[in-house]
Amino acid sequence: QVQLVESGGGLVQPGGSLRLSCAASGFTLDYYAIGWFRQAPGKEREGVSCISASDGPTYYTDSVKSRFTISRDNAKNTVYLQMNSLKPEDTAVYYCATALPPCVVAPLAVWGQGTQVTVSS
């Protein structure tokens, strides 16, 4: 069964860090561009960060540049999103999905179930 499973979300204080994981089963992640997308209540979904196939170029939306880092571990068939210096405006449900450049959801994308990130004091 082809699926993506996110983990690592939670409640963190402003300035804190979280690492999200996106683990794949049923297919090899390294062959695909993978993106992290988020949606906050009342807002449109946005592409946060993407990594191209085979460790190609990465993309970050302006609001997370220098704070977030996307990476792959091919041995674990997993993509990570390291989030540092978190801000309340980063609060959202974060999803991983197969993507197209620069960082849009691919047609017939494989999606994870989402993980909640809440940044609050």
Side-chain angles (χ1 to χ4, degrees), residues 14-64:
S17 298
L18 286 172
R19 188 177 78 159
L20 305 184
S21 299
C22 172
S25 59
F27 70 107
T28 301
L29 267 186
D30 192 41
Y31 297 161
Y32 296 87
I34 300 295
W36 285 97
F37 304 88
R38 66 186 179 187
Q39 188 160 23
K43 294 187 177 181
E44 292 188 356
R45 183 180 64 207
E46 68 169 334
V48 176
S49 180
C50 287
I51 185 166
S52 299
S54 301
D55 270 340
T58 56
Y59 165 93
Y60 299 93
T61 193
D62 286 346
S63 63
V64 307

Side-chain angles (χ1 to χ4, degrees), residues 4-12 18-23 35-41 48 68 79-83 86 90-97 111-119:
L4 294 171
V5 177
E6 300 101 333
S7 61
L11 173 64
V12 64
L18 286 172
R19 188 177 78 159
L20 305 184
S21 299
C22 172
W36 285 97
F37 304 88
R38 66 186 179 187
Q39 188 160 23
V48 176
F68 290 10
V79 169
Y80 300 100
L81 186 67
Q82 178 67 44
M83 306 187 297
L86 282 161
D90 295 317
T91 295
V93 179
Y94 284 69
Y95 301 88
C96 63
W111 283 94
Q113 82 287 355
T115 186
Q116 176 70 47
V117 172
T118 303
V119 185

Side-chain angles (χ1 to χ4, degrees), residues 60-80:
Y60 299 93
T61 193
D62 286 346
S63 63
V64 307
K65 284 180 181 176
S66 79
R67 298 190 298 123
F68 290 10
T69 303
I70 193 169
S71 63
R72 293 179 182 269
D73 185 334
N74 293 332
K76 295 183 178 180
N77 210 25
T78 299
V79 169
Y80 300 100

